[in-house]
Amino acid sequence: MSTLSISGLNVHFSTEAGSLHALKDVTFDVPERRIVGIVGESGCGKSTLINAILGLLSDNGEVRSGQILFEGDQDLARLSRGQMQDLRGPRIATVFQDPMGALNPVLSVGRQMINIQYRSPQSRAAKAARAVEMLKLVRIPDAESALGRYPHQFSGGMKQRIAIAMALMMEPALLIADEPTTALDATLEVTTIELLKDLQATIGCSVMFISHHLGVIAELCDDVVVMYAGEVVERGTVRDVFRAPAHPYTRRLLECDPARQSRRTRVLPTIPGEIPDLRQRPRGCVFAPRCLERHAGCDTPQVEHALAGDHRARCNLAPARSPAAVPP
Amino acid sequence: MTAAPILSVDDVQVAFPVGGLLARDAILGVAGVSFEVRPGETFALVGESGSGKTTLARAINGLQDISQGAITFEGVRIDGLGRARMKPLRRRMSMMFQDPVGSLSPRMTVGDLVTEPFRIHGHGGRNLRDEAVRLLNLVGLPADFAGRYPHQLSGGQARRVGVARAIALDPALIIADEPTAGLDVSVQGEVLNLLNELRERLGLAMVIITHNLHVVHHVADRMAVMYLGRFVEVGETGTVFAAPRHPYTAALLSANPEPDPDRARDRITLPAEVPSLMSRPSGCEFHTRCPWAQAKCAAMPPPAGDVSCHFPLSPGARPPPREDRP
Ligand SMILES: Nc1ncnc2c1ncn2[C@@H]1O[C@H](COP(=O)(O)OP(=O)(O)OP(=O)(O)O)[C@@H](O)[C@H]1O
Ligand SMILES: Nc1ncnc2c1ncn2[C@@H]1O[C@H](COP(=O)(O)OP(=O)(O)OP(=O)(O)O)[C@@H](O)[C@H]1O
Ligand SMILES: [Mg+2]
Ligand SMILES: [Mg+2]
């Protein structure tokens, strides 16, 4: 059973200039005890996807169709606000790009860390001890005295580690992390990745991990989902996707990583062109306008092709490119 | 390089009072750093999170008082100027903030946000609507984004709005705090290439703060590595990457995640406990975590210089961790 199973998810935002189709037919699984990375261009819908899962779409956003099955039986797209609130935190925890979203600026860190344990029957002292333990785990110096300090008294990276500590305190079934390590230095980033891996193994949770840092994805994740303009264009194990990318967007994305440029250069590779206007999606492949391999077959709607193993790509050229391809 | 520095930072300290209103104690967020940046040069600040990079950037930009030292910009002392007298200088020196969405006022549209610098500093007859379109275009956002509000942007789109604001007035120096955090690699490339174009065209100087070491490697001429508010190593970027001499630099560079799931990783792991600014370690402040610390390191501060270490690593060498660490 998958911890999370998303199928045919469509999300729209209404704007003054018309309806914006932010997620289109998004389908993928977060299997039990696996860490799934999500990558894709800024604005491709990663945060929207998370918000849809958590029932936190902004007022002008709407799930038009699709299913978000949590632990096999609950469709998150159809839960009431109250039901969703019960899941968020204890069962589905989150860490966001901006740690201040998780921290209240006017309450001390200790108060906040004790407050989120409100369901626990433990004494206040035990809760405080648990908070200290978590702060130590994420390497906040002077953990005891940190409890009495306020968020603005910590650096950006420290705030993020505190947010991680708070998310993991409840031992959730699913941790959703939206670029949690962006603000951390390389040594801490690596430590945090290792910490997440350990924790994931100990409590047996699944993780959905969004990052632009392809190195972090390679190191942390089992599987990866590549998104472009609101669609899943490729998915599979990290090894399959990073070693044998089957979608032209994935290949271009990997090529743009400055980590792959071994010689120093002032001019970094980019993908020329812009993402399409999501209010008027092209009929054919969404990536076609920027694709170097565009041909007539790209002007019709694209389907996802199954390649070797669990590797899939939404490109009509993918089956021919992958030797072990199986028909869809 | 022979040109006069555009920015000189001389032995700057920033102290924060701790422990409530009546307390006299202070911690040093920045504990005495010096460096210079010349026109057209890119200087990178890297280092542990909490090591004082943002505090130093805010001090340079006049958003944070300094408790010691001097900051000189285009030949003029700017520390202690105060907001009013700092204002005209902000035309020449702009800042990109670490927190992209939080630094944009939520009630202004993107179009107003990117042209705000002109409204503050005067627009010399320019049509603001045209300027908005030009700036959005420069950072790769469609013109129709001008009507959106910050909460309707993705993180990366908000970051690009921050870039557009910072370059609006063609500044001579940009202090960029994590300018590409939250951007995918291709948009990151676009932003860095754009800054590089401005550097080539206008001689823009940059102080760039980033945790992305791959970015530092490509764009910075020189770099400084911060630890507990001080520089532990300063040097030419190519040299530092090829042969880090301070053990903390070596550990940092060895941690850099690579985009290859099968790559063997030969990392220097540091003990977890990061020291507190309230009780700084004796001697060399890195000795509590240094794999190669010796008795002298706990006793005596390291010599001043480009590498603050009693026993710098020799190029290419990585001895096994010492058993007799103090
Ligand atoms: N409330 C909203 N109203 C209208 N459009 C929105 C709204 N929220 C997001 N969008 C748009 O939907 C698209 C997806 O945004 P989203 O924040 O999910 O991107 P993302 O993949 O998380 O990007 P990043 O990597 O930059 O964080 C973007 O084009 C964004 O501008
Ligand atoms: N207003 C403040 N009051 C007290 N201490 C502060 C204040 N602002 C920052 N500090 C402390 O100063 C130190 C340096 O913080 P700073 O934000 O400059 O770090 P940084 O290097 O930018 O870290 P990051 O990479 O995580 O952004 C930290 O220990 C922080 O807790
Ligand atoms: Mg996002
Ligand atoms: Mg900072």
Side-chain angles (χ1 to χ4, degrees):
Chain A
M1 186 191 62
S2 280
T3 304
L4 194 69
S5 182
I6 300 178
S7 56
L9 183 66
N10 283 282
V11 171
H12 291 249
F13 288 113
S14 59
T15 70
E16 278 169 28
S19 169
L20 188 150
H21 196 171
L23 292 181
K24 181 165 178 254
D25 300 332
V26 168
T27 299
F28 71 93
D29 281 2
V30 181
E32 245 180 314
R33 292 174 172 269
R34 279 180 89 83
I35 307 185
V36 178
I38 316 259
V39 299
E41 184 151 292
S42 311
C44 71
K46 302 177 297 295
S47 299
T48 303
L49 173 63
I50 290 182
N51 290 333
I53 295 170
L54 296 171
L56 294 176
L57 284 174
S58 55
D59 291 341
N60 64 334
E62 179 201 1
V63 175
R64 286 265 173 92
S65 60
Q67 258 197 341
I68 308 172
L69 276 190
F70 178 61
E71 297 193 307
D73 51 2
Q74 275 172 303
D75 184 356
L76 302 183
R78 293 194 167 53
L79 289 190
S80 71
R81 220 168 246 272
Q83 288 170 311
M84 199 59 228
Q85 252 159 24
D86 288 341
L87 285 181
R88 229 185 290 137
R91 302 297 299 149
I92 306 180
T94 49
V95 182
F96 286 111
Q97 220 161 316
D98 175 6
M100 280 317 284
L103 299 170
N104 183 333
V106 301
L107 291 184
S108 72
V109 163
R111 260 293 272 294
Q112 301 187 49
M113 293 189 79
I114 289 166
N115 287 353
I116 58 167
Q117 302 177 64
Y118 68 96
R119 281 194 182 82
S120 149
Q122 302 236 293
S123 70
R124 210 183 146 80
K127 288 179 184 173
R130 172 93 178 120
V132 168
E133 183 194 335
M134 286 308 296
L135 289 178
K136 284 191 174 151
L137 216 54
V138 295
R139 291 166 63 179
I140 299 295
D142 296 325
E144 279 87 3
S145 84
L147 289 186
R149 312 225 301 267
Y150 290 82
H152 76 271
Q153 294 173 313
F154 295 90
S155 77
M158 289 168 161
K159 282 190 279 231
Q160 188 58 290
R161 277 137 65 202
I162 294 169
I164 292 173
M166 288 174 50
L168 298 181
M169 214 146 86
M170 313 301 287
E171 306 205 337
L174 174 66
L175 174 70
I176 298 182
D178 192 352
E179 296 190 49
T181 60
T182 309
L184 306 182
D185 65 79
T187 53
L188 265 178
E189 181 164 55
V190 165
T191 317
T192 308
I193 292 172
E194 270 153 20
L195 185 86
L196 272 175
K197 265 188 177 162
D198 283 356
L199 210 108
Q200 184 259 352
T202 332
I203 70 177
C205 66
S206 309
V207 181
M208 198 172 130
F209 188 93
I210 293 183
S211 177
H212 289 300
H213 197 323
L214 302 173
V216 169
I217 297 280
E219 195 151 317
L220 174 72
C221 299
D222 304 303
D223 303 321
V224 63
V225 173
V226 183
M227 290 181 64
Y228 182 79
E231 294 183 22
V232 172
V233 294
E234 182 160 1
R235 55 190 169 120
T237 63
V238 169
R239 184 164 290 109
D240 284 347
V241 174
F242 278 37
R243 279 296 166 88
H247 195 285
Y249 172 65
T250 313
R251 282 203 294 280
R252 298 299 298 282
L253 183 74
L254 294 174
E255 282 162 18
C256 284
D257 191 343
R260 297 212 174 194
Q261 263 65 54
S262 45
R263 297 187 105 199
R264 280 183 74 193
T265 166
R266 284 303 296 224
V267 181
L268 295 163
T270 60
I271 307 177
E274 280 170 29
I275 41 169
D277 184 344
L278 300 180
R279 288 167 310 207
Q280 285 141 23
R281 293 184 150 275
R283 213 175 76 83
C285 169
V286 268
F287 186 59
R290 298 167 82 180
C291 186
L292 300 175
E293 295 160 67
R294 180 178 191 163
H295 63 108
C298 306
D299 298 332
T300 52
Q302 303 292 304
V303 294
E304 193 175 61
H305 296 272
L307 311 171
D310 288 331
H311 193 178
R312 288 158 201 275
R314 194 181 286 273
C315 170
N316 59 67
L317 293 172
R321 185 171 283 123
S322 168
V326 289
Chain B
M1 268 188 246
T2 47
I6 182 168
L7 175 73
S8 324
V9 171
D10 186 19
D11 196 22
V12 163
Q13 283 192 359
V14 175
F16 292 115
V18 285
L21 284 176
L22 296 174
R24 260 170 254 116
D25 279 350
I27 54 169
L28 290 180
V30 177
V33 305
S34 305
F35 67 98
E36 288 180 342
V37 184
R38 284 162 214 282
E41 189 181 31
T42 305
F43 186 82
L45 285 175
V46 303
E48 187 136 282
S49 104
S51 62
K53 304 178 298 294
T54 297
T55 305
L56 177 57
R58 289 171 54 87
I60 296 169
N61 202 246
L63 298 171
Q64 171 70 57
D65 289 337
I66 65 175
S67 46
Q68 179 191 302
I71 301 171
T72 311
F73 175 64
E74 296 191 314
V76 181
R77 271 290 283 271
I78 57 166
D79 49 286
L81 271 191
R83 284 187 187 226
R85 280 191 295 157
M86 192 67 198
K87 189 186 138 186
L89 291 171
R90 293 241 165 79
R91 266 197 96 94
R92 308 277 306 148
M93 181 204 297
S94 65
M95 170 109 185
M96 285 164 63
F97 292 94
Q98 186 166 7
D99 167 14
V101 185
S103 59
L104 304 175
S105 10
R107 270 181 259 287
M108 286 171 77
T109 63
V110 166
D112 290 340
L113 283 165
V114 297
T115 52
E116 189 182 35
F118 297 110
R119 280 193 301 281
I120 295 174
H121 295 284
H123 40 80
R126 273 181 265 218
N127 177 324
L128 291 188
R129 190 163 300 181
D130 293 346
E131 285 301 312
V133 173
R134 176 184 72 92
L135 287 165
L136 289 176
N137 196 358
L138 270 179
V139 296
L141 290 175
D144 66 76
F145 269 62
R148 290 209 194 176
Y149 289 90
H151 74 272
Q152 300 177 321
L153 304 175
S154 78
Q157 289 161 346
R159 176 75 59 185
R160 290 197 242 184
V161 172
V163 177
R165 279 162 64 89
I167 63 177
L169 300 171
D170 291 339
L173 173 70
I174 289 187
I175 300 161
D177 197 353
E178 297 282 359
T180 63
L183 297 179
D184 67 272
V185 285
S186 80
V187 176
Q188 165 175 284
E190 279 167 30
V191 167
L192 294 173
N193 291 348
L194 171 69
L195 291 173
N196 186 46
E197 259 170 61
L198 296 175
R199 183 186 68 92
E200 286 181 342
R201 200 153 50 82
L202 307 168
L204 174 71
M206 262 190 295
V207 175
I208 178 168
I209 298 174
T210 177
H211 287 306
N212 191 325
L213 297 169
H214 298 294
V215 166
V216 173
H217 188 214
H218 289 297
V219 309
D221 302 299
R222 284 187 307 128
M223 63 188 283
V225 182
M226 284 188 85
Y227 189 79
L228 295 185
R230 298 184 211 276
F231 285 179
V232 294
E233 181 158 4
V234 189
E236 299 278 329
T237 304
T239 315
V240 174
F241 270 80
R245 307 212 56 214
H246 194 284
Y248 178 68
T249 314
L252 194 64
L253 298 184
S254 80
N256 200 7
E258 300 283 343
D260 178 350
D262 297 317
R263 198 182 145 106
R265 295 173 224 279
D266 180 18
R267 289 205 168 119
I268 302 170
T269 36
L270 298 179
E273 205 59 41
V274 181
S276 150
L277 294 179
M278 280 188 259
S279 52
R280 287 173 171 273
S282 63
C284 168
E285 292 178 341
F286 186 57
H287 88 262
T288 57
R289 297 172 74 205
C290 182
W292 302 292
Q294 308 185 25
K296 184 179 182 186
C297 305
M300 276 171 54
D306 285 351
V307 184
S308 358
C309 178
H310 288 296
F311 307 101
L313 299 168
S314 7
R318 195 194 285 177
R322 289 180 69 95
E323 314 255 300
D324 58 341
R325 297 183 47 237

